[in-house]
Amino acid sequence: MALDSFFISALASELDRELSGQKIVKIFMPEKNKILLHLYGAQGNRRLLISAGAGNARIYFTETEYENPSDPPMFCMLLRKYLTGAVITDVYQMERDRIIGLSLTGRDALGETEELRIVLEMLGNSSNLMLLDRDGMIIDALIRTGYKNDRARCINPGAPYLSPARQNRTDFFKADSHEVEMLCSRADKDVPASDWLLTAFLGFSPLLCRELAYRAANSYDLLPDVLSDFRLQCETGAYVPYIYVKDGRFSELSSYELTHLGNGASRIVCEGFSEAMRRFYAEKDAEDRRRNLSGSLRKQVKNIRGRIAKKIAIQTDQLKATENAEETRKAAEFILANIYRIKIGDTLLKCPDYYSEDGTETEIPLDPLKSPQQNAAVLYKDYNRKKKAALVLRDMLEKERLELEYLDSVADEINRAETLADISEIRTELSAAGFIREKAKGKNRKQKLTGPLSFKSADGFVILVGRNNLQNDELTFRQARKTDWWFHVKNYHGSHVILSCEGAQPEAETITEAAEYALRFSEAAGSGKQAVDYTRVSNVSKPSGALPGRVIYRNYKTVIVSDDGNKK
């Protein structure tokens, strides 16, 4: 998400008040583009996270515990050399752009006072983090670039630091109201106002441009007045840290009210800009990590499924090749029955087929270098090989088809996973089933499963829903009572659902309600009316050696439910 210079300005002012006088005691680099500074000052121990990740650069105080690599990256080692023990003296916004600078005072190897600067450029995909000396020369950068990437400047150790090109944009605060009005009057009216604002003024984000254009009703005639009001808001420092929520998720981070989002979004007013960034990116990072982990796991499952499907195709062809085993046995019998008619050197035997009703003549190829007995022995050996191969192949194909069904159920679990814990459990499940290998983590401690989802029916009964196959087994065979009711959508992969009724007979409405949860937490969700089977838990059993989540059940009934809860 691209932040604008107005949010950066408010954030820098807040950090200046909080960070001035803080001493850097430890430096870590938990991830590729993240630096974690452990600080000590009048307010005690604090941690400052600085991220220069593409598209999500930020700086804020954090309480999150990060796992640090055993071997620190070279950039981290360099920062430790120069910044350990340094004191932050100033935090500021550079040139009203999306750049924050930190001035520091430290000591060099000889104990002499040394002035240093940290520069964080929050420029979308071009974000970067640099360490400068007192003369503005680059000591090092998180991402080094030469003139090939940017003809205007070089980001390498020993090069002078130059600010990013302004791209012929006007500084909103240096332009007076008359100049702003002239710019609006000269604008190409065929271009949407939001697009024009983005190219006209320095530090404007797409979000701010959409908001200002909305306030002006997309009219260039009203735009100067809207910009004048916005300038007044900025000059008086009337910034408020907002987080906007849409569809249950954090969608926007802003220092001003976003009226263009309408009633479809709610807002949260935070205590400060650092706190707003921490809350916003904590959820975003968790969601991104969950998406990355689920994508990686989904790809693994797809690859495993592809390999098994390929094996099934090959083995199916091999099984077809064994279908003529009986014909091979008959040919061997015909040779022995007509052994007196065959001479060494014959290549073909023509004899009556006494297995057919009309005794039609059949032809059997012979090896002229073998005796009749040897020809028959070869055919009997081939028959026995095909017979044994058919038995083995049928067992293998059945096992692999069950594995495909299981992997399809895992794919459904991944699609329904909502948290990192859900993804972790699915990975553990695949590892326990032998499909993937997990890296050893310390002592071999068994991972504790998260609890099933819990709901209450209209009449107060507890309805439990397994999140994955391991939980399904745990829920059905360990947590549920034998007298509870078990539900599962028919002919689809999905969660085991338990209606815990403590031996009581639930009403038909409660049965329907539990069945609706079984439909909702299955791959058939959203497909309209579906059949859901239900029975007592005592009628559910697990075949010996079956994969997680696979069960058989008997004495069941079926109810038809739909997504809106209607019962047929």
Side-chain angles (χ1 to χ4, degrees):
M1 186 191 72
L3 295 172
D4 54 61
S5 63
F6 307 100
F7 189 98
I8 301 300
S9 174
L11 175 64
S13 298
E14 179 181 290
L15 290 176
D16 184 44
R17 294 191 300 271
E18 297 285 337
L19 286 174
S20 292
Q22 296 272 312
K23 182 179 181 180
I24 299 175
V25 293
K26 291 182 181 179
I27 302 171
F28 298 101
M29 194 170 177
E31 296 178 18
K32 180 181 178 182
N33 296 315
K34 289 182 180 177
I35 300 295
L36 190 64
L37 303 181
H38 286 228
L39 309 172
Y40 180 77
Q43 298 179 356
N45 294 318
R46 307 185 78 175
R47 281 179 287 192
L48 182 72
L49 180 71
I50 304 176
S51 173
N56 61 359
R58 70 263 196 188
I59 176 171
Y60 56 82
F61 293 108
T62 181
E63 297 297 328
T64 303
E65 295 285 347
Y66 288 92
E67 184 177 347
N68 298 305
S70 55
D71 297 322
M74 291 301 296
F75 187 66
C76 179
M77 296 294 288
L78 179 132
L79 292 180
R80 287 179 179 179
K81 174 185 174 181
Y82 283 91
L83 299 183
T84 300
V87 176
I88 300 172
T89 59
D90 189 21
V91 181
Y92 53 93
Q93 181 186 24
M94 297 176 61
E95 301 180 2
R96 292 196 180 274
D97 207 345
R98 293 167 293 165
I99 306 173
I100 286 183
L102 282 76
S103 297
L104 306 103
T105 301
R107 294 192 178 277
D108 60 19
L110 299 177
E112 299 292 330
T113 301
E114 184 177 34
E115 303 294 331
L116 300 166
R117 279 195 293 161
I118 295 174
V119 175
L120 173 63
E121 296 183 347
M122 296 182 278
L123 304 174
N125 292 332
S126 301
S127 298
N128 207 345
L129 180 67
M130 286 159 273
L131 179 64
L132 313 181
D133 64 15
R134 70 173 68 199
D135 298 321
M137 305 298 286
I138 298 173
I139 298 174
D140 207 347
L142 186 64
I143 303 171
R144 298 179 182 181
T145 62
Y147 288 111
K148 183 177 180 180
N149 301 86
D150 187 345
R151 294 182 181 180
R153 62 178 189 159
C154 172
I155 302 176
N156 271 320
Y161 174 75
L162 300 174
S163 299
R166 288 177 172 261
Q167 300 174 341
N168 298 321
R169 297 183 185 182
T170 301
D171 188 329
F172 180 65
F173 289 99
K174 290 183 178 179
D176 58 28
S177 57
H178 176 70
E179 185 177 349
V180 170
E181 189 172 344
M182 289 296 294
L183 285 171
C184 292
S185 65
R186 294 172 184 169
D188 184 352
K189 304 303 187 292
D190 294 331
V191 176
S194 59
D195 294 346
W196 176 79
L197 284 168
L198 189 61
T199 58
F201 294 103
L202 181 69
F204 277 33
S205 68
L207 180 67
L208 172 60
C209 294
R210 289 195 296 270
E211 174 61 23
L212 294 175
Y214 177 80
R215 293 183 187 182
N218 294 304
S219 169
Y220 282 94
D221 295 332
L222 299 178
L223 197 55
D225 291 336
V226 170
L227 290 171
S228 178
D229 292 341
F230 182 69
R231 183 201 300 273
L232 180 63
Q233 176 188 343
C234 297
E235 289 175 347
T236 56
Y239 295 121
V240 180
Y242 293 117
I243 294 177
Y244 281 83
V245 184
K246 192 172 184 179
D247 298 328
R249 295 185 177 180
F250 291 170
S251 62
E252 304 293 351
L253 191 60
S254 175
S255 60
Y256 40 82
E257 189 175 358
L258 299 177
T259 58
H260 75 278
L261 296 180
N263 297 327
S266 59
R267 71 183 185 189
I268 300 171
V269 180
C270 300
E271 295 180 0
F273 290 89
S274 175
E275 171 68 10
M277 290 195 86
R278 184 193 66 78
R279 291 182 63 180
F280 182 87
Y281 282 105
E283 177 174 298
K284 187 176 184 298
D285 283 352
E287 175 63 21
D288 289 346
R289 190 165 176 235
R290 185 200 67 78
R291 190 184 300 111
N292 291 337
L293 287 173
S294 65
S296 172
L297 194 57
R298 188 179 289 108
K299 184 177 180 180
Q300 279 185 288
V301 170
K302 182 180 178 181
N303 290 340
I304 295 168
R305 195 188 186 286
R307 289 197 296 269
I308 294 174
K310 188 175 181 180
K311 283 172 63 178
I312 287 177
I314 293 171
Q315 290 166 0
T316 300
D317 290 339
Q318 291 173 342
L319 184 60
K320 286 181 179 179
T322 67
E323 291 176 353
N324 65 343
E326 279 300 311
E327 295 301 319
T328 304
R329 183 186 61 81
K330 290 178 183 179
E333 287 183 3
F334 292 150
I335 291 174
L336 293 179
N338 295 274
I339 196 170
Y340 63 93
R341 298 175 53 190
I342 304 172
K343 297 176 183 178
I344 294 178
D346 285 351
T347 58
L348 187 68
L349 169 64
K350 294 183 178 181
C351 63
D353 182 359
Y354 47 75
Y355 282 99
S356 64
E357 294 181 359
D358 53 2
T360 55
E361 191 174 66
T362 184
E363 295 182 350
I364 302 168
L366 300 172
D367 185 344
L369 300 178
K370 290 183 172 62
S371 67
Q373 292 89 341
Q374 289 173 329
N375 273 287
V378 168
L379 291 173
Y380 273 123
K381 185 177 181 180
D382 188 34
Y383 162 71
N384 288 324
R385 180 187 62 78
K386 290 177 178 178
K387 187 177 178 181
K388 290 178 182 178
L391 292 173
V392 173
L393 286 169
R394 288 191 185 97
D395 289 341
M396 292 174 68
L397 285 169
E398 178 62 22
K399 177 176 176 290
E400 286 157 2
R401 288 189 182 108
L402 291 176
E403 288 178 347
L404 279 189
E405 287 185 17
Y406 169 72
L407 291 172
D408 287 341
S409 74
V410 172
D412 175 57
E413 291 174 15
I414 296 172
N415 291 335
R416 290 188 284 111
E418 296 180 348
T419 65
L420 293 175
D422 291 343
I423 298 297
S424 178
E425 283 190 12
I426 295 171
R427 186 175 290 279
T428 300
E429 174 189 329
L430 285 168
S431 176
F435 288 97
I436 63 174
R437 291 183 180 179
E438 282 280 72
K439 294 180 181 178
K441 296 181 180 178
K443 296 181 179 178
N444 293 326
R445 288 179 290 185
K446 189 175 181 181
Q447 180 180 347
K448 186 177 180 181
L449 296 177
T450 57
L453 297 170
S454 180
F455 305 94
K456 271 202 172 183
S457 66
D459 51 2
F461 289 120
V462 175
I463 299 174
L464 301 173
V465 180
R467 301 170 189 258
N468 52 60
N469 287 317
L470 287 181
Q471 277 196 16
N472 287 340
D473 286 350
E474 179 75 18
L475 180 60
T476 300
F477 299 111
R478 293 179 181 84
Q479 295 185 21
R481 301 180 183 89
K482 297 294 183 183
T483 54
D484 290 341
W485 290 89
W486 179 90
F487 294 77
H488 195 282
V489 67
K490 195 180 188 72
N491 298 329
Y492 287 97
H493 301 295
S495 296
H496 292 195
V497 175
I498 298 296
L499 174 59
S500 184
C501 52
E502 301 179 358
Q505 178 62 41
E507 298 292 335
E509 290 77 9
T510 307
I511 293 287
T512 300
E513 196 172 348
E516 288 167 355
Y517 280 110
L519 174 57
R520 175 184 167 190
F521 292 95
S522 75
E523 66 176 350
S527 60
K529 291 184 177 181
Q530 294 293 339
V532 175
D533 293 339
Y534 67 98
T535 185
R536 294 279 189 184
V537 171
S538 57
N539 294 325
V540 184
S541 59
K542 189 172 187 66
S544 177
L547 289 164
R550 182 171 178 79
V551 299
I552 54 176
Y553 54 94
R554 62 187 188 280
N555 300 332
Y556 62 89
K557 297 179 181 178
T558 301
V559 62
I560 306 298
V561 294
S562 61
D563 293 337
D564 59 4
N566 293 330
K567 180 183 174 183
K568 185 176 178 179

